[in-house]
Amino acid sequence: MLCFIYKWNLSRAFDSGKPLDRRTKRHLVRCETCREFSRLGEEIGRRLYEDAASLARDARPGLGDKVRQALGEPGQTPSLSLPKRLRLRPVLAAAVALAVIGVSIIWMVRSRPARMPQLDPLFRLETQRAYLLSALQRAESPYQAEILELKKTLKSTADYLAARFDIGLGGDKE
Amino acid sequence: MDAIREALSPTDEELAARAAAGSRPAFEELVSRYSLRLFHFLRSRSGSDEDVEDLVQETFLKAYRNIGRYDYQRKYSTWLFTVAVRLSISRHRSQGAKPLSLNSEGPEHPSSGPQEVLIQKEETQKAGNIWLFARTLKPSEYEVLWLRYAEEMPMKDIARAMKRSLVGVRVLLHRSRLKLGKKLRAPSPAADLAEAAAAEQRLSIL
């Protein structure tokens, strides 16, 4: 009933040259049909080898000449081989082209934010000016405080002198 | 002496490399080595010897034109048989509309078809050659047997040449051997005819 499996195993053994497994060997002992298949398979293989050799001895003298003659006709030129490095297959070339396109897209997308200020130089100048002004203000602030302090001192001194000497500035004389 | 000469003669791959570099004599040497082998290989695809010869010629011309594409690290025979298989299949496709003597991948050759008549004619000349029986199989079955037994190609090379998977080749070989075994066990049509003629003669005497 399962002879087709054993026949397949036998067929594989013919082609691979590997020995049969134990189960197939056991089956062959019991099954006459599979033994016949095995015998016939070996016989067919042997005859195919031998008869092919006898066919190869047949001479067809005109055949080779016919081909040689056709090779000499105009238009029959061989495609000369290129060095191996230059033999770029179309699939490989397509893959390389795709990779280049992919890399260039990624590069463009990544480099765009860094390039944006360059697209608007006025904005960058304004930002820099604001930064410089605030820095300047921060740098001037200690002197300004001192000036204010001096102004206050001078004012109070002037007030004292005016009160002490009572200098009239051409005011009302009663 | 022959062994020494054989050892000194360039391999197929070396010749193919020379041909690719522009040497026509090298390719002509390959033609003499392979023309007969290709002729027998392609026989199942065509009805007459002239057609097969044309196909062999076309195969060599195509191989010559495309020799630059041949990869020297692979066997030349595998490449050449691959070219032959593709060409024969495309030729049958292109001739699809015309009445053919046999189908490219259809049923086996009918017993009264021209292929069968040719085989019977040859059968009288070369009695008992198993390849004549094999020619009554489907072309792909005949071809896989030829590559396996006549060319002694490794299975993976057969798969490459026939554009099939390794398992596909194993199945095809298995099926081809089964069919061939059945054909060998069954009495041949020629023998049937001879037997029938003899019986008729006996009856007429009686």
Side-chain angles (χ1 to χ4, degrees):
Chain A
M1 195 173 151
L2 292 171
C3 279
F4 72 94
I5 296 174
Y6 295 108
K7 280 179 182 172
W8 170 243
N9 286 348
L10 282 163
S11 204
R12 283 194 68 177
F14 292 148
D15 296 327
S16 64
K18 287 178 187 167
L20 288 169
D21 60 293
R22 266 195 323 181
R23 286 181 68 180
T24 313
K25 276 181 187 168
R26 272 210 308 268
H27 177 80
L28 276 180
V29 175
R30 292 193 306 267
C31 181
E32 173 61 33
T33 319
C34 288
R35 270 206 306 277
E36 177 61 16
F37 175 81
S38 172
R39 195 196 57 74
L40 192 68
E42 280 172 8
E43 174 70 11
I44 287 173
R46 189 185 58 76
R47 282 189 62 187
L48 285 169
Y49 272 125
E50 288 173 0
D51 291 357
S54 80
L55 279 183
R57 282 192 291 272
D58 284 356
R60 294 193 73 83
L63 184 59
D65 296 336
K66 203 175 159 185
V67 177
R68 277 184 211 103
Q69 206 176 350
L71 284 174
E73 283 170 12
Q76 302 301 336
T77 46
S79 61
L80 299 183
S81 62
L82 293 165
K84 218 171 187 180
R85 278 178 297 172
L86 294 177
R87 260 190 275 157
L88 201 63
R89 293 182 178 184
V91 178
L92 192 65
V96 168
L98 274 176
V100 167
I101 290 167
V103 167
S104 59
I105 287 170
I106 290 167
W107 179 75
M108 279 168 72
V109 167
R110 285 210 170 168
S111 60
R112 181 155 289 190
R115 282 174 160 230
M116 274 177 78
Q118 285 179 0
L119 293 173
D120 192 1
L122 284 174
F123 177 78
R124 201 180 77 172
L125 281 173
E126 193 59 40
T127 316
Q128 281 178 349
R129 188 172 154 267
Y131 173 75
L132 280 171
L133 278 172
S134 74
L136 203 63
Q137 277 174 354
R138 274 201 304 276
E140 281 175 358
S141 59
Y143 298 105
Q144 275 188 336
E146 208 170 311
I147 289 164
L148 281 172
E149 201 65 37
L150 276 168
K151 273 183 183 174
K152 274 183 193 171
T153 313
L154 279 172
K155 199 178 176 230
S156 63
T157 309
D159 286 344
Y160 170 71
L161 287 171
R164 174 72 179 87
F165 298 106
D166 192 19
I167 47 166
L169 292 172
D172 300 346
K173 263 191 181 177
E174 292 179 23
Chain B
M1 196 67 187
D2 282 347
I4 296 168
R5 202 177 299 145
E6 212 167 278
L8 287 173
S9 66
T11 62
D12 297 341
E13 290 71 33
E14 284 167 353
L15 285 172
R18 283 186 212 167
S23 163
R24 210 175 103 186
F27 193 81
E28 285 181 357
E29 173 61 26
L30 286 170
V31 170
S32 18
R33 284 186 192 186
Y34 280 94
S35 53
L36 193 62
R37 286 158 72 174
L38 269 182
F39 178 81
H40 288 300
F41 174 69
L42 293 166
R43 276 195 115 172
S44 69
R45 293 264 179 195
S46 204
S48 68
D49 285 0
E50 287 73 31
D51 285 347
V52 186
E53 284 185 1
D54 286 349
L55 204 51
V56 170
Q57 184 179 318
E58 267 182 63
T59 304
F60 277 117
L61 290 180
K62 195 175 177 188
Y64 187 58
R65 283 194 297 267
N66 296 303
I67 194 79
R69 291 187 194 173
Y70 164 64
D71 180 1
Y72 312 116
Q73 291 179 350
R74 293 196 173 160
K75 280 184 82 180
Y76 176 75
S77 59
T78 310
W79 182 71
L80 186 67
F81 281 99
T82 309
V83 173
V85 168
R86 286 183 192 172
L87 201 65
S88 62
I89 290 170
S90 68
R91 198 187 206 201
H92 273 286
R93 276 187 194 148
S94 66
Q95 287 179 342
K98 296 176 193 173
L100 283 170
S101 56
L102 61 125
N103 296 327
S104 63
E105 277 301 316
E108 287 148 59
H109 309 310
S111 57
S112 57
Q115 179 81 0
E116 198 70 21
V117 171
L118 272 170
I119 291 168
Q120 280 174 18
K121 212 191 285 175
E122 277 187 49
E123 215 165 359
T124 53
Q125 295 165 352
K126 302 171 189 175
N129 192 315
I130 197 168
W131 288 103
L132 290 173
F133 287 98
R135 274 170 61 191
T136 60
L137 299 173
K138 282 183 188 173
S140 60
E141 291 166 349
Y142 172 90
E143 283 163 4
V144 80
L145 287 174
W146 183 269
L147 295 177
R148 168 80 179 86
Y149 291 101
E151 297 297 328
E152 298 179 45
M153 255 189 207
M155 298 294 276
K156 62 176 182 184
D157 284 357
I158 298 175
R160 197 175 291 140
M162 297 191 75
K163 283 264 167 195
R164 280 171 191 261
S165 66
L166 211 56
V167 178
V169 169
R170 281 196 179 126
V171 171
L172 192 60
L173 267 171
H174 175 65
R175 204 167 58 204
S176 313
R177 275 192 297 252
L178 274 175
K179 278 190 183 175
L180 195 57
K182 278 180 192 164
K183 279 179 189 290
L184 283 173
R185 274 187 292 188
S188 72
D192 282 351
L193 283 172
E195 234 172 77
E200 209 171 301
Q201 218 171 8
R202 276 199 299 274
L203 280 171
S204 65
I205 291 164
L206 286 170

